[in-house]
Amino acid sequence: MTAHALLQCGVYVVVLVALAVPLGGYCARVLGGEATLVQRLLGPLERGLYRAAGVRPDDEMDWRDYTGAVLWFNLFGLLVVYGLQRLQHLLPLNPQELGPVAPDLAFNTAVSFASNTNWQAYGGETTLSYLTQMVGLTTQNFVSAATGIAVLAALARAFSRRRAETIGNFWADLVRSTLYILLPLSLVLAVALAADGVVQTFAPAAEVELMRAATGPEGQVITQQTIPLGPGASQIAIKQLGTNGGGFYNINSAHPLENPTPLTNVLECLAILLIPAALCLSFGKIVADRRQGWAVLGAMFAIFLPLLGLCVWSEGQLAPQLVELGVDPSAGNLEGKEVRFGAAASALWATATTAASNGSVNAMHDSFNPLGGLVPMWLMQVGEVVFGGVGSGLYGMLVFAILAVFLAGLMVGRTPEYLGKKIEAFEVKMAALVILLPSAGVLVGTAIAVASEAGRAGISNPGIHGFSEVLYGFSSASNNNGSAFAGLGANSFFYNLALGLCMLIGRYGIIVPVLALAGALARKQTVPPGPGTMPTHTPLFVFLLAAIVVLVGALTFVPALALGPIVEHLQMTGAHP
Amino acid sequence: MLSAIRPALILLALLTVVTGAVYPLAVTGIADLLFHDEAHGSLVVATAGPVGSELVGQNFTRPGDFWSRPSAVHYDAKSSGASNMGPLHEGLQEAVAARIATLQAADPEAELPVPADLVLASGSGLDPHISPAAARYQARRVARARGLPTAEVLALIEGHTEGRTLGILGEPRVNVLRLNRALEEIQPSP
Amino acid sequence: MHSPKHKPARGPIIRRAAIEAFTKLDPRRMVRNPVMFVVEVGSVLTTILAAQALVGEGEASFGFIAGVAVWLWFTVLFANFAEALAEGRGKAQAESLRKARQHVQARRLSERDRHARAEQVPAAQLRRGDLVLVIAGDTIPGDGDVVEGIASVDESAVTGESAPVIRESGGDRSAVTGGTRVLSDWIIVEIRSNPGETFLDRMIAMVEGAKRKKTPNEIALDILLAGLSLVFLLACATLYPFSLYALETRGQGAPVPITVLVALLVCLIPTTIGGLLSAIGIAGMDRLIRVNVIATSGRAVEAAGDVDVLLLDKTGTITIGNRQAVELLPAAGVKVEALAEAAQLASLADETPEGRSIVVLAKEKYGLRQRELANTEARFIAFTAHTRMSGVDLAGREIRKGAADAIGKHLKAKGGGLSPDIQALVQTIAKSGGTPLVVAEGSRALGVVHLKDIVKGGIRERFAEFRRIGIETIMITGDNPQTAGAIAAEAGVDSFQAEATPETKLALIRGKQAAGHLVAMTGDGTNDAPALAQADVAVAMNTGTQAAKEAGNMVDLDSDPTKLLDIVEIGKQMLMTRGALTTFSVANDVAKYFAIIPAAFAGTYPDLRALDLMRLHSPQSAVLAAVIFNAIIIILLVPIALRGVKVRPHPAAALLRRNLLVFGLGGLVAPFIGIKLIDLVITTIGVA
């Protein structure tokens, strides 16, 4: 790893933390219903929404009602996206006269956007009408992220309450997260991106004369180039901030009109981790012990930084097989990467986008070196808890914290407790579910895919790398990331269905136990801390939490990884040619 | 439970209006006002009209032009894409070998190793840049084809090299379209 | 720990445990422990595969499969053995207890009168509310309260304590336990429990572990272990299709054998803790019994580990029961000898320990011989609640001693009063935590006797330990706040409640609980019952009333209130042992992966050999070594499971650091060494 790569990553981390601190405090105020500057501006809109919907934001819900509201809202969102795709040929704003989307693909896409995964089995501009994109997908970019923040807010509240039945009001959490957190941040980021060259217009595509006529792949003479335009910046801003990741262009943030400069690159990359990092600190504020928020954030960084180092190092290498052909290895592995970003900024993005459940890419993970590809794959497999999705990453990490507290807490001779809440059979059961379900999705899904004709049909790279493609796909879907080893031909009935189910399980199979957990925790008495309490804000606990995440992730996926990237790496480095 | 249906439907509809329509329109309005050209694809406009986007690469194959990076979509900007081949993919090794052979055929004196970006395909297939090393690697061929001293071409490359943003972010690079157009102004290609 | 009779020989216990290890293989029993059930299923599966290899074509050599199968069976048997061993100790005790109540006949009375008509009935037929007469030489037929009479009782069958105790009707020493023996006199006992619910029954059930319910933490841990097992089951099961795909794209090697997958699964699932979990629980209860405490449930013992507030009665727990006179302080102008003489005279007839200590002090410190006053016309004035004085009228002298305010009132009536210097002395003594007794003759106060509470030796250090591990100690006393404060300071408790009544005690517990604390207390009297019932951990003294025993969730057979401290430690130890072995078990898995994964795919991906950090001899020896390590570690850890990890008086943070280092890091490293060694051994002796 070069000094420059190190400097770039260092600056990224410092700026990230510097931005997360004030934002964390702000989000806590928003979720606590406190007045903010933005609230003064948009307050009438918020109240108008409540009035129209006939909800009272102060009417608190118990965990069952809260879960019901989450599920209904997400179900309708899913149905709308599905319906729009199936009926888009009958609806307006379809200038390209695209036909209805096939049912399996429509299902996959609907689940993908409702579940904050943004796995894209469809081919962007060539499948979906403007109406479907705007009304369906853009809206889901906001509200699926807001759903994650809301569920987190409910869980955080549960920790801070004692002997309470209710955990908040979902409608209030949803509306406030959207209006006061996601919308203003997106607006600022979108304008900043547009200033540096990201397209933002409703004008039609621009036709330009090529400087040199070129010969096309079929031998035709090409003299013009179509520069596709559109309202890119506004969608890119929310897809980055809301850990959605569904690109405006097919090739996502590798596209020069989606991510034109190193500056837009670092802004988009910061946006990936900004809210997840900030919410850790909001959590600390909500539970009235800021150190707890820093500890969780610390554990995330404790896992993130070494993996970032590994990925950046790996992509700084070039396969010996290519060096042998006469390629200069000094710039690293540039296949699938853009020159303006280089290997380091691409690896940084890959690590961030999979640490968070974002899934946007600025380089092709499929073409990464084996260990460079292992990093994003494994970051998804640990359950998207290292930053993870907005809200969802932190509630996943808190489940791991519960597990860590339970495992190690017994060793101090007391019933384990986290933030004063005793961790008992029910909590452990829910935690086990949360960890088990996505892992089951990844392993069982991959097993079925490699064992079936339908599954094998989608594999593009031969041999070991093909296995990695499938494993990566199921890891991405089951953990709601959305990035891909893009060689996998995933638009088939089999993959649309299998990955769609994985996304459903990975999202709602976790939200429901997490909210049940919130309900149980809120009802509990809070044990006051003393010297006999295992502290959960110390470096030791940070280490322990990180170790548990790594250990569970490693123990579950080492066999699969050994048959994918690990053996591929060993073959590449030529231990046994 | 059922009481949640009405608020779910209404809020979904209203939030769709706010986030799906009002928000993108607001951003478009601001961008149009403040950063019109940037928001419209950063087009390079010659007297005859737009001749490309500063941000979208074009394909160059003449020996007198600087060549862009290999592209999986042949610089067709209607789409974008990459090879998605892993480092051990035989297809990748074959393609790289062929690209090296083409470079060497165009400039028999060209030495190995070749800068990586010149023989490895970009992520978008539309990469507008090459590395300064990749530009310098082509300088002799371009100079010879245009009948220019190599030093002048190298100086031109130097002048078109963008450094890292703030000295930290990204990598140094040369915009191929701009470089070729500058070259064309000095010494039109034969 | 004084229970000589509860010390069964080790040999028979081990023999019996070895046999039971086999009978426990019954799948209907095994299924209650999901982790070990998986191992048993794996054992059966590999045994079938071995048989297949023996008679026809197997997936690997017979020797290898059989080797794995045998060691899988050992894994199950070792775990069963550990459980049987833990139960065995209790069973031996239970048998000696059972003997205590065999063939007891009771004299059931028709009414509460020693001379009422009595019928002989077997003890087993007695119901709650029956009245029985027990006379010298009889065994008490059931638990109950003495309603009439007084007797000395030998309770050694239950407590192991050979000195007889007095049991009498009324007051706090009325409870008797079935199975104990009346040595002298007679008592009428009202039976308080139905057959099968007696104390002895509970004790037998407890030590046998027969009715042992899983504790809350045990259930939670069970869920976690089952969850982990499920994850590993998925990881191992999916390896088969993965290996088929690898085989196909690679075109070399063979699919991974089922035997290897089963071996991998068994190595990965937390067998170490899964196999020892119930043994830890049983051993914890056993440790409790060995300090002579009977808990009504494992839940209570576990709760003891969580306690962070201890309510301790001053008398008996913190101080050695009675106050003693330590100093005589005369008023101005009074000779100390005069005061000593008056104090002694006033106390001669006072049989309370305090009174006697005054006589002793006068004799030893001031050289006054104890005088016989029986033949003089002395008239002793006994202490009454009304006057709160005692004393003597003797040859015209009127000597009184009592609390300052009582004496003050007395003197005032006689036209005198307490002089300022007496009042100053009284204040000084009270402030120092002592009890001042003013001695007066006629209308004049002669001086003050300083009575002092004697704090038990070593108790201060014990409290300091508790403070370090985060347990707050609160002293409960009927003393006034001043006195209580001084004793509290001397004993080193965190706080105290003075002038305590049953109501204030109950309020204190409720207050602490409302703030989220878990409260433990000891009690013996009937008026303690509400507080005992409210406390999270309530230890009743065996000498206490039946009401107290029923309200508590533990009974201390030694009636030693400091026992609370042992109970807390045992509770903590149970949890720590479980946590430590779980951590160790999970940490072990890392090394097992490094051993088995390269071995499993040696044919398809020889490159994976690079992961074989231990450089094991062959794929087969690697798998076998991992399985053997996995089995043997269970046996090696049985002593820790039975003994419990050492409880140290450190704060939680320090404990965590230490235990993580020992069991976490140790668990990570140990199997690398162990598996390598086993691999060396089995290749040397040629097993694999």
Side-chain angles (χ1 to χ4, degrees), chain A residues 186 366 547:
Chain A
S186 299
D366 209 351

Side-chain angles (χ1 to χ4, degrees), chain A residues 162 403 406-407 410-415 428 436 440 443 447 456 459 525-526 528 531-533 555-556 559 570-571 576, chain C residues 217 220-221 224 230-231 238 242 245 248 250 305-306 469 513-517 572 575-576 579-580 582 593 607 652 659:
Chain A
R162 55 162 66 183
L403 199 70
F406 183 78
L407 259 178
L410 284 174
M411 284 197 292
V412 305
R414 256 166 78 153
T415 298
V428 173
L436 186 64
L443 290 172
R456 290 183 189 196
I459 296 171
Q525 170 68 285
T526 305
T533 315
L555 291 179
T556 312
L570 293 171
Q571 288 191 347
H576 293 267
Chain C
N217 274 310
L221 191 51
L224 180 71
L230 215 51
V231 167
T238 50
F242 293 172
Y245 177 78
E248 212 161 296
R250 187 82 175 148
D306 290 351
I469 60 174
Q513 286 173 335
H517 294 283
K572 283 198 178 295
L575 296 180
M576 284 168 70
T582 306
Y593 264 137
D607 307 75
N659 285 336

